[in-house]
C-alpha cells in the first residue's frame, strides 16, 4: 500500500482495485402509466458492479405526478450511488474504492485506507508521509472535550461512546467552515480522522 503499484509494506504482495465506474447520465427510460392514464418517463440506470440490475430514478415522481412509491423498509430502494463503497451482502462482498476490504485490512494500515477513501488511491511513501503530517497537526482536542467522557457509565459500549463523541466534535469545529467549499470539507475530514486512531 505504501507505493503506487499497490505493493504492501506488510506482505510485499500486490493487489489491484476493481474498476468502479461513475454512473453516467443515462439515455434509457421506462414509462410508468398511472391509473388515471397519465404517463411518466423514468430514467433508467444500470449498476457498474455486481448483477445487471436496473435502477429507476424516481426523484421527480412526486413533483410531476403527485405520486409516491411505497417500499416498507427500503427493501428494493437504493438511497444513493457511490464511487467509494460497493456492498453485496448476500455474496459477502465489500469494496472500498474497488479494493476488497479484507485485503485492505490485511495489507494496509489505518492511514493508508483513510487516504484511499478521501483521495481515491493508495498513497505512495511521500504522499503517506504528507498525509500523516496533516493528520497529526489535528490530533489535539479541546481541553473541555475530555470532560465529555465522564458522563458515560463504566460499562458503556465503546461504539456508543465513539458515536456520541464523534457527533459532539461538531460543537467544537463549526466556526469559519463553509460546507460549500471543498477545502473546508477536507479540513473537517482531516480533523475527524485525527480523532479516531
Amino acid at each position: 500500500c505504501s507505493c503506487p503499484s499497490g505493493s504492501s509494506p506488510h506482505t510485499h504482495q500486490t493487489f489491484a482495485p476493481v474498476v468502479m465506474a461513475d454512473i453516467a447520465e443515462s439515455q434509457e427510460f421506462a414509462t410508468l402509466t398511472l391509473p388515471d392514464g397519465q404517463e411518466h418517463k423514468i430514467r433508467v440506470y444500470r449498476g457498474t458492479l455486481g448483477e445487471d440490475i436496473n435502477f429507476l430514478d424516481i426523484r421527480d415522481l412526486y413533483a410531476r405526478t403527485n405520486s409516491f412509491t411505497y417500499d416498507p423498509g427500503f427493501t428494493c430502494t437504493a438511497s444513493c450511488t457511490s464511487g467509494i463503497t460497493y456492498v453485496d451482502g448476500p455474496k459477502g462482498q465489500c469494496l472500498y474504492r474497488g479494493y476488497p476490504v479484507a485485503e485492505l485490512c490485511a495489507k494496509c494500515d489505518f492511514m493508508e485506507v483513510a487516504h484511499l477513501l478521501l483521495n481515491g488511491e493508495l498513497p505512495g511513501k511521500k504522499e503517506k508521509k504528507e498525509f500523516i503530517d496533516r493528520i497529526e497537526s489535528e490530533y489535539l482536542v479541546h481541553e473541555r472535550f475530555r470532560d465529555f467522557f465522564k458522563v458515560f457509565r463504566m460499562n458503556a459500549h465503546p461504539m456508543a461512546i465513539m458515536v456520541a463523541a464523534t457527533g459532539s466534535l461538531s460543537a467544537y469545529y463549526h466556526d469559519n467552515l463553509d460546507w460549500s467549499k471543498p477545502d473546508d470539507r477536507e479540513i473537517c475530514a482531516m480533523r475527524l480522522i485525527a480523532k479516531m486512531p
Side-chain angles (χ1 to χ4, degrees), residues 168-188:
S168 71
L169 287 172
S170 64
Y172 292 93
Y173 297 109
H174 66 285
D175 295 343
N176 303 319
L177 291 176
D178 182 350
W179 288 103
S180 66
K181 295 180 182 176
D183 288 345
D184 284 6
R185 292 193 304 269
E186 184 176 339
I187 289 168
C188 287

Side-chain angles (χ1 to χ4, degrees), residues 37-48:
Q38 179 184 5
E39 291 187 349
H40 178 65
K41 285 194 178 272
I42 299 173
R43 193 174 296 274
V44 178
Y45 293 97
R46 297 192 183 277
T48 56

Side-chain angles (χ1 to χ4, degrees), residues 56-75:
L56 307 177
D57 185 347
I58 59 167
R59 284 179 279 191
D60 65 350
L61 185 64
Y62 174 67
R64 295 186 180 249
T65 68
N66 198 35
S67 300
F68 279 99
T69 59
Y70 180 65
D71 180 18
F74 291 104
T75 57

Side-chain angles (χ1 to χ4, degrees), residues 13-83:
Q13 299 173 353
T14 59
F15 63 109
V18 172
V19 176
M20 294 177 62
D22 292 329
I23 292 183
E25 191 66 24
S26 173
Q27 299 305 315
E28 287 185 75
F29 291 89
T31 302
L32 172 67
T33 304
L34 298 168
D36 64 1
Q38 179 184 5
E39 291 187 349
H40 178 65
K41 285 194 178 272
I42 299 173
R43 193 174 296 274
V44 178
Y45 293 97
R46 297 192 183 277
T48 56
L49 287 175
E51 296 179 32
D52 186 20
I53 297 175
N54 294 323
F55 294 90
L56 307 177
D57 185 347
I58 59 167
R59 284 179 279 191
D60 65 350
L61 185 64
Y62 174 67
R64 295 186 180 249
T65 68
N66 198 35
S67 300
F68 279 99
T69 59
Y70 180 65
D71 180 18
F74 291 104
T75 57
C76 66
T77 300
S79 63
C80 65
T81 63
S82 177

Side-chain angles (χ1 to χ4, degrees), residues 23-192:
I23 292 183
E25 191 66 24
S26 173
Q27 299 305 315
E28 287 185 75
F29 291 89
T31 302
L32 172 67
T33 304
L34 298 168
D36 64 1
Q38 179 184 5
E39 291 187 349
H40 178 65
K41 285 194 178 272
I42 299 173
R43 193 174 296 274
V44 178
Y45 293 97
R46 297 192 183 277
T48 56
L49 287 175
E51 296 179 32
D52 186 20
I53 297 175
N54 294 323
F55 294 90
L56 307 177
D57 185 347
I58 59 167
R59 284 179 279 191
D60 65 350
L61 185 64
Y62 174 67
R64 295 186 180 249
T65 68
N66 198 35
S67 300
F68 279 99
T69 59
Y70 180 65
D71 180 18
F74 291 104
T75 57
C76 66
T77 300
S79 63
C80 65
T81 63
S82 177
I84 298 173
T85 305
Y86 171 78
V87 177
D88 186 334
K91 291 185 180 176
Q93 292 179 317
C94 182
L95 306 177
Y96 285 168
R97 299 278 191 183
Y99 291 95
V101 171
E103 286 188 43
L104 291 171
C105 291
K107 299 177 181 180
C108 299
D109 62 32
F110 176 83
M111 292 296 192
E112 290 166 330
V113 175
H115 184 280
L116 171 68
L117 293 175
L118 289 176
N119 299 300
E121 56 190 37
L122 292 167
K125 287 182 182 180
K126 181 182 177 195
E127 292 171 313
K128 182 178 177 182
K129 182 180 180 337
E130 290 171 357
F131 186 72
I132 289 173
D133 288 346
R134 286 192 66 200
I135 297 296
E136 287 178 348
S137 72
E138 297 291 345
Y139 270 173
L140 295 178
V141 292
H142 194 281
E143 188 64 28
R144 296 192 68 193
F145 185 70
R146 291 183 345 160
D147 295 336
F148 178 81
F149 295 97
K150 294 177 182 176
V151 301
F152 293 100
R153 296 175 53 134
M154 291 298 290
N155 63 348
H157 195 283
M159 190 58 101
I161 295 171
M162 187 190 81
V163 168
T166 302
S168 71
L169 287 172
S170 64
Y172 292 93
Y173 297 109
H174 66 285
D175 295 343
N176 303 319
L177 291 176
D178 182 350
W179 288 103
S180 66
K181 295 180 182 176
D183 288 345
D184 284 6
R185 292 193 304 269
E186 184 176 339
I187 289 168
C188 287
M190 295 295 165
R191 287 176 176 164
L192 183 60

